[in-house]
Amino acid sequence: MANNIQAIRGMHDVLPDQTPRWQFVEQQVRDVLATYGYAEIRLPIVEKTELFKRSIGEVTDIVEKEMYTFDDRNGDSLTLRPEGTAGCLRACLEHGLLHNQVHRLWYYGQMFRHERPQKGRYRQFIQLGVETYGMAGSDIDAELILLSYRLWQRLGILGKVELQLNSLGTIEERIVYREKLVEYFNQQPELLDEDSKRRLLSNPLRILDTKNPAMQALVENAPTLMSYLGAESKAHFKGLTDTLDALGIIYTINQRLVRGLDYYSKTVFEWVTSELGAQGTICAGGRYDGLIEQLGGKPNHAVGFAMGMERILALLETREDLDTIQSIDAYMILVGSAAEKSGLLLAEKLRDCLPNLRLQMNCGAGSFKSQFKKADKSGADYALILGDDEIANNEISIKFLRKDVEQRTVTLAELIELIKN
Ligand code: ATP
Ligand code: MG
């Protein structure tokens, strides 16, 4: 016998018993975004490889080792998007959306990274991305944090997450800091692991992000970027923390929060949880004004974040109430050939008159007993029964499956009234 083909490692199916949970979260996401006036943008899943190299940066984990890159039939190098920020900005530049305009956008969809699969880390995963353009002040940075905070509230996971903030300052401030940092690490090169030795040359700030326990003391004692920030960067950060303080939103300042990507400036933030092991970041973002010019646009402003949906779903695992979402109202049982013939027609009439009715037909005949079993298993509130007697009298029977009410036989008009009420 041939082996069955299986899904690709790290790429998961979401089976029907899990989709109600996803739909619940997706609905909350849409609702919250709407209350802040954000508009949806839909983007291709595949982009030119060049886009990611230029935006994410050649010396990042993503570009160095995580991208799904291939040549298409024309020999063009294409990549399955590992994130959405670059594609969103590419689209907005391409369609001229950034000329003297302000935008608040979101997208939702699959991202692809060739990582080692484990809980909370997959090769195909879903992100909600939120990107804003054209706003320089810290008020929009705050708004993005408030929006995510409101979402945690609605999902009931506020108690499981913690906000971490940092400021990366401007490029100029980082250049000065970078020198100090390299100097510091060079004083004790024997404490650096192989990855960090490489990063010391290419991207020393990322050493601060190391997950290697042996290097924790070294990075904890490193000079901090905060002390190299200029007046404007400091004021921007204070603007943000003042707003959060005024609203009573608790945060910690994590001076080692540098984010993996090169394009950030000033505000960076992460929402983290201690409930998902090493995959603790559920939402991460910040300001990336510089990326716009990097992709050929005029100087402008951009702030955004991305949320890892699988990790959020994992935090909701204990919410058993989300599993009981009922999917249908009525199940139609057809007994005898006359009923089998007119059943579909009757069901269509019901759907015409009751547009919200969720009605499932018994297809494929069967005895009354077996159909009744299916009706019960379907989760429907009531069964609609069509047999020879009902057909002869132009009637239909309704049997309540979840409450103690006697079965009734009524006309179609009566049935419609009954269901409406
Ligand atoms: P991590 O440190 O966990 O690798 P990252 O810095 O690579 O995260 P981002 O590029 O900032 O992640 O993506 C934003 C969010 O998307 C992450 O905070 C996380 O919730 C989610 N995410 C990233 N990579 C994966 C993945 N491979 N599988 C599932 N979710 C992911
Ligand atoms: Mg990563």
Side-chain angles (χ1 to χ4, degrees):
M1 212 175 72
N3 287 331
N4 289 345
I5 296 172
Q6 301 201 323
I8 296 166
R9 201 161 109 82
M11 304 198 180
H12 293 283
D13 304 303
V14 178
L15 299 181
D17 67 334
Q18 288 296 312
T19 47
R21 292 175 161 270
W22 281 87
Q23 288 167 352
F24 164 75
V25 175
E26 286 159 0
Q27 193 58 49
Q28 298 297 330
V29 163
R30 278 168 208 276
D31 290 351
V32 169
L33 286 160
T35 66
Y36 287 80
Y38 283 62
E40 185 184 8
I41 183 167
R42 299 191 180 193
L43 303 160
I45 286 177
V46 186
E47 298 272 1
K48 292 181 181 160
T49 304
E50 187 56 28
L51 176 69
F52 301 114
K53 286 197 175 164
R54 224 205 280 178
S55 59
I56 299 171
E58 300 262 7
V59 288
T60 53
D61 282 351
I62 293 181
V63 172
E64 277 178 347
K65 49 191 185 199
E66 295 174 0
M67 294 206 303
Y68 278 91
T69 297
F70 59 96
D71 287 346
D72 79 353
R73 288 170 192 277
N74 305 326
D76 297 325
S77 180
L78 307 181
T79 294
L80 299 185
R81 61 181 184 192
E83 53 111 56
T85 299
C88 188
L89 192 49
R90 192 268 312 138
C92 289
L93 287 169
E94 187 170 335
H95 298 286
L97 299 193
L98 299 190
H99 295 302
N100 302 318
Q101 295 171 45
V102 160
H103 287 282
R104 291 174 162 88
L105 304 175
W106 64 272
Y107 49 83
Y108 182 89
Q110 279 76 9
M111 306 294 159
F112 302 84
R113 297 185 195 178
H114 197 276
E115 303 199 64
R116 192 170 69 76
Q118 52 198 295
K119 191 171 164 59
R121 191 174 296 285
Y122 309 104
R123 289 181 174 173
Q124 174 179 311
F125 59 100
I126 294 185
Q127 277 186 349
L128 166 72
V130 177
E131 317 285 358
T132 70
Y133 303 118
M135 292 168 274
S138 64
D139 45 0
I140 185 65
D141 305 22
E143 178 176 290
L144 288 173
I145 291 174
L146 299 175
L147 187 160
S148 48
Y149 179 91
R150 189 170 294 277
L151 182 63
W152 314 144
Q153 249 174 350
R154 289 223 192 169
L155 295 175
I157 57 173
L158 191 56
K160 301 183 178 193
V161 296
E162 185 197 306
L163 175 62
Q164 298 194 348
L165 292 182
N166 194 16
S167 175
L168 297 183
T170 62
I171 307 262
E172 294 75 26
E173 288 153 7
R174 276 211 300 278
I175 290 174
V176 177
Y177 171 64
R178 187 187 155 123
E179 276 172 23
K180 299 286 168 204
L181 197 62
V182 171
E183 225 169 77
Y184 168 79
F185 286 127
N186 270 332
Q187 283 161 10
Q188 33 212 332
E190 69 284 357
L191 296 179
L192 294 172
D193 60 17
E194 284 311 309
D195 255 0
S196 301
K197 276 185 192 139
R198 211 161 38 85
R199 285 175 181 157
L200 193 57
L201 302 172
S202 60
N203 193 348
L205 264 69
R206 292 225 18 242
I207 299 176
L208 298 174
D209 201 22
T210 180
K211 307 221 158 71
N212 182 353
M215 286 182 49
Q216 293 310 307
L218 180 69
V219 292
E220 259 157 40
N221 294 319
T224 61
L225 177 51
M226 274 292 176
S227 39
Y228 292 87
L229 294 188
E232 207 224 309
S233 292
K234 276 189 181 142
H236 188 98
F237 194 61
K238 185 166 186 308
L240 172 62
T241 53
D242 282 352
T243 305
L244 297 178
D245 290 340
L247 284 161
I249 294 184
I250 296 166
Y251 55 87
T252 54
I253 295 175
N254 175 0
Q255 307 234 25
R256 290 174 44 202
L257 186 65
V258 292
R259 309 287 301 113
L261 311 181
D262 290 343
Y263 52 55
Y264 286 101
S265 59
K266 294 185 178 159
T267 309
V268 288
F269 67 92
E270 286 193 359
W271 285 98
V272 298
T273 176
S274 56
E275 299 195 9
L276 300 176
Q279 278 59 253
T281 304
I282 60 165
C283 174
R287 180 169 283 276
Y288 55 94
D289 294 353
L291 182 61
I292 302 180
E293 280 169 88
Q294 215 169 303
L295 290 183
K298 296 209 177 73
N300 205 328
H301 305 282
V303 203
F305 66 70
M307 218 175 254
M309 300 308 295
E310 285 81 2
R311 296 185 190 178
I312 289 168
L313 268 286
L315 281 184
L316 286 171
E317 232 159 49
T318 49
R319 284 277 305 271
E320 276 167 20
D321 55 309
L322 299 181
D323 290 327
T324 55
I325 296 170
Q326 188 203 314
S327 56
I328 62 167
D329 304 308
Y331 189 95
M332 194 178 276
I333 293 175
L334 308 173
V335 191
S337 57
E340 277 164 30
K341 263 195 206 115
S342 50
L344 279 177
L345 307 182
L346 181 73
E348 287 310 304
K349 256 190 213 155
L350 280 172
R351 292 188 183 105
D352 287 342
C353 299
L354 301 163
N356 294 323
L357 178 69
R358 296 170 302 176
L359 169 63
Q360 200 172 77
M361 286 295 294
N362 185 85
C363 288
S367 69
F368 175 78
K369 203 173 152 198
S370 78
Q371 292 190 47
F372 190 77
K373 258 193 199 154
K374 286 187 201 160
D376 195 37
K377 228 180 133 185
S378 74
D381 286 329
Y382 44 87
L384 301 175
I385 304 162
L386 207 55
D388 291 340
D389 288 351
E390 281 88 354
I391 298 275
N393 300 325
N394 230 338
E395 288 178 328
I396 186 161
S397 296
I398 177 165
K399 181 168 175 57
F400 294 89
L401 301 169
R402 317 283 158 208
K403 50 185 180 181
D404 199 13
V405 176
E406 213 169 311
Q407 178 170 329
R408 295 167 64 178
T409 303
V410 294
T411 65
L412 182 64
E414 285 168 340
L415 178 68
I416 289 167
E417 277 315 300
L418 194 72
I419 295 175
K420 266 189 192 160
N421 301 322

